[in-house]
Amino acid sequence: MKSGYHDIYTRYRENITRGVLKPGDKVPAIRVLAEELKVARKTVETAYAILTGEGYLVSQGARGTRVNPDLTLPARLDAPTEHATGSLPESLMAQRERAGFLRPGIPALDSFPYKKWLLLAGQATRSMRQEEMLNPPVMGWPALRQAIASYLNISRGLSCRAEQVLITSGYSGSLRLILDTLASRNDKVVFEDPGYFMGQQLLKRIVPRLHTVPVDRMGMDTDYLLRHHHDARFAIVTPSHQSPLAVTLSLPRKQQLLDWASQNAAWIIEDDYDGEFHYTRKVLPSLKSLDRHDRVIFMGTFSKTIMPSLRMGYVVMPASTVDAFTDCADIVASGQPVLTQKILTAFLSEGHFFRHLKKMRALYQMRRDWMIAALREVYGDLFFTEQNDGGMHIVAFLAKGSCDREIAHYWQAHQLQVNALSDWYRGSGKRYGLVMGYNNVRTWQEALELLQRPKQQTLDLMR
Ligand SMILES: Cc1ncc(COP(=O)(O)O)c(C=O)c1O
């Protein structure tokens, strides 16, 4: 049988992903295989070059070519998504059980383009130059700052230059650096109530004068802010999808907040953690895009669009603050890993990020619909959800009662990593329900099966 380079490539890839060839195994020399298969050397050379580019093989010079000893097989992560859970390989199911289900804010881990990422990772590693092996630039890898600025200008309606983009390790890195640079000890900081649980924990540790502002169906209550905390220096908000209630800050309130900030020389920190995910309308313009007086500090993350373990986020600094941030970062920051920044740069600038987001919007919308329908099917009207336009989690409000902590406790015992909504409140006016992610629910049957797990205990509690 005559082989072309593609046949050779496919045969190797299959044998590697099926575990027939193991990491570290030696593969025949080009000349030997070409003679064996009766093809031109060039044919084998091309197949090996692609396999090497994709990270399946590594060439070790005189020691020959081997299956990449560091290979973690993407094939398992790329397992078919639309099969019933029962048909997934056992080890993957066991991994998923251990990680837990319904955890809010985790992107669909079965749908990330791992092979593309691996390819870019290989290229980035091979192209590392001496100067890139020194300490990373504290403000971020210049090409990544540029790629993020382009993305934000095109997709999120911002108008910023690359010099205003600062690369961080995510939420806590961003917030700490903002406060280190711009806040003094006595500054009052306001946060939403309910508000991002981890954010509250962090702020309680580092901000002596922390206050909260209630959130209703139009987002943060800006009248309350003006009445009670007019003198605040910072307001930390999640305007696209409030965390956790998933409502959008109304336009009049956005304007009120911007006016307040510009009249009082206050700063608004816009936490745009999942603003990319809107399903029924175009992506919303960010608060920052309406900011005529440069009072909004915009924070983004790749935890929701790529994966949380990437630990990569960014801040868009108001132009007037770039020098202050640079001085501060020089002292308190040490930059982010260059290799990761290079891979991410290629992922953004070669268009893979846009394509991935587009795919994920459609997938998440479908998975969200399954979750909402399955909730109704399993629990009838014990829970209800409120209309909102996207995000990465839903809140299943309790139709009556206040035992969301007990319910969450039972659900967690079944590996369902939901949060009790009431735990995210600090003041009065609590609402009760479960905050749950749906992005990793792979089928409608899986949604039903997961929700059935704690059904009896939940019904007993609510009786
Ligand atoms: C409200 C909110 N902000 C920001 C983040 C992002 O955090 P990080 O970038 O550290 O992953 C999250 C993640 O869950 C979040 O829920």
Side-chain angles (χ1 to χ4, degrees):
M1 184 185 63
K2 194 92 177 143
S3 303
Y5 79 86
H6 195 259
D7 300 319
I8 299 171
Y9 159 80
T10 312
R11 250 179 271 158
Y12 268 99
R13 204 190 58 180
E14 276 174 9
N15 279 301
I16 293 169
T17 51
R18 281 174 32 224
V20 180
L21 282 168
K22 306 228 162 16
D25 281 359
K26 203 154 182 245
V27 300
I30 291 174
R31 178 183 51 77
V32 176
L33 188 62
E35 279 168 13
E36 169 82 15
L37 298 176
K38 312 236 175 320
V39 296
R41 279 190 201 187
K42 187 81 198 147
T43 309
V44 180
E45 216 173 87
T46 308
Y48 276 20
I50 301 174
L51 289 160
T52 307
E54 290 186 354
Y56 289 106
L57 298 184
V58 282
S59 162
Q60 298 182 322
R63 288 171 45 224
T65 301
R66 290 176 190 274
V67 178
N68 185 351
D70 299 323
L71 189 68
T72 44
L73 292 175
R76 285 183 303 163
L77 296 163
D78 280 348
T81 58
E82 304 308 338
H83 291 175
T85 43
S87 67
L88 290 171
E90 177 56 31
S91 62
L92 178 54
M93 202 51 212
Q95 283 177 39
R96 296 186 70 209
E97 281 289 342
R98 268 201 311 281
F101 300 91
L102 311 188
R103 196 186 290 272
I106 307 295
L109 300 178
D110 58 326
S111 299
F112 184 71
Y114 292 99
K115 285 188 191 141
K116 182 56 70 188
W117 188 264
L118 194 62
L119 181 67
L120 300 176
Q123 287 166 353
T125 310
R126 283 192 300 278
S127 67
M128 283 293 276
R129 296 194 306 264
Q130 289 271 333
E131 70 267 27
E132 296 170 358
M133 298 177 191
L134 309 176
N135 284 321
V138 289
M139 302 300 277
W141 188 246
L144 180 58
R145 298 172 77 186
Q146 181 63 60
I148 292 174
S150 307
Y151 160 68
L152 293 174
N153 289 340
I154 294 165
S155 284
R156 307 306 318 282
L158 264 69
S159 163
C160 66
R161 290 176 295 109
E163 299 74 53
Q164 288 173 260
V165 177
L166 160 60
I167 311 295
T168 70
S169 62
Y171 184 84
S172 120
S174 297
L175 207 49
R176 278 173 177 275
L177 201 54
I178 294 169
L179 295 175
D180 261 336
T181 304
L182 299 176
S184 45
R185 257 198 95 62
N186 279 331
D187 284 344
K188 185 192 264 194
V189 177
V190 296
F191 197 64
E192 298 163 321
D193 191 24
Y196 177 38
F197 189 74
M198 299 311 292
Q200 286 180 46
Q201 305 305 311
L202 172 69
L203 288 164
K204 274 198 272 183
R205 289 183 76 99
I206 62 176
V207 174
R209 293 183 67 207
L210 180 66
H211 294 265
T212 54
V213 176
V215 174
D216 61 24
R217 289 181 190 199
M218 290 182 295
M220 181 188 257
D221 182 347
T222 41
D223 284 333
Y224 184 100
L225 168 76
L226 296 184
R227 273 202 313 278
H228 298 275
H229 300 301
H230 196 265
D231 57 336
R233 187 96 204 296
F234 294 87
I236 305 173
V237 276
T238 48
S240 288
H241 290 123
Q242 202 274 335
S243 171
L245 295 179
V247 294
T248 301
L249 187 64
S250 71
L251 194 57
R253 286 191 179 178
K254 281 183 176 146
Q255 206 46 61
Q256 210 174 5
L257 196 57
L258 291 167
D259 292 345
W260 162 77
S262 67
Q263 285 156 17
N264 294 280
W267 297 108
I268 300 166
I269 301 178
E270 175 173 17
D271 175 12
D272 186 69
Y273 65 110
D274 70 354
E276 280 86 2
F277 297 111
H278 276 272
Y279 310 135
T280 58
R281 59 181 175 221
K282 284 208 320 221
V283 175
L284 281 186
S286 57
L287 182 61
K288 178 72 191 160
S289 68
L290 306 173
D291 174 25
R292 299 285 155 259
H293 300 279
D294 225 8
R295 303 309 304 176
V296 177
I297 306 163
F298 184 89
M299 277 178 19
T301 179
F302 291 100
S303 293
K304 314 293 170 192
T305 48
I306 296 187
M307 63 185 95
S309 66
L310 195 66
R311 288 288 99 231
M312 205 56 80
Y314 53 89
V315 173
V316 179
M317 305 165 278
S320 61
T321 64
V322 172
D323 289 347
F325 269 98
T326 311
D327 291 347
C328 181
D330 269 340
I331 300 166
V332 306
S334 47
Q336 306 308 319
V338 170
L339 188 55
T340 317
Q341 295 189 71
K342 286 185 72 175
I343 304 169
L344 187 53
T345 305
F347 195 70
L348 261 78
S349 49
E350 293 176 18
H352 309 298
F353 185 64
F354 278 105
R355 273 196 291 283
H356 180 55
L357 283 185
K358 188 162 175 247
K359 261 177 69 185
M360 290 308 98
R361 275 189 205 111
L363 183 72
Y364 292 171
Q365 182 169 10
M366 183 169 74
R367 291 182 173 184
R368 190 172 77 131
D369 291 348
W370 287 338
M371 237 357 239
I372 292 174
L375 252 182
R376 180 152 272 284
E377 175 98 5
V378 178
Y379 290 101
D381 46 18
L382 289 183
F383 293 105
F384 66 94
T385 52
E386 286 177 351
Q387 188 62 37
N388 65 64
D389 186 47
M392 294 181 70
H393 65 266
I394 52 173
V395 183
F397 292 98
L398 284 182
K400 59 180 192 323
S402 57
C403 54
D404 60 353
R405 295 180 90 177
E406 291 85 342
I407 297 176
H409 186 73
Y410 278 130
W411 286 44
Q412 285 158 11
H414 289 277
Q415 269 64 54
L416 308 183
Q417 305 299 338
V418 297
N419 299 130
L421 175 63
S422 61
D423 277 345
W424 294 44
Y425 281 88
R426 290 191 73 199
S428 54
K430 284 188 182 179
R431 299 181 73 189
Y432 300 89
L434 300 176
V435 183
M436 56 178 85
Y438 49 79
N439 308 63
N440 284 287
V441 173
R442 297 175 181 204
T443 59
W444 153 250
Q445 286 81 0
E446 182 172 298
L448 285 176
E449 189 269 316
L450 293 175
L451 294 178
Q452 290 283 358
R453 290 184 184 187
K455 181 172 177 184
Q456 200 48 54
Q457 285 151 322
T458 308
L459 294 183
D460 291 346
L461 259 176
M462 286 163 97
R463 201 161 277 143

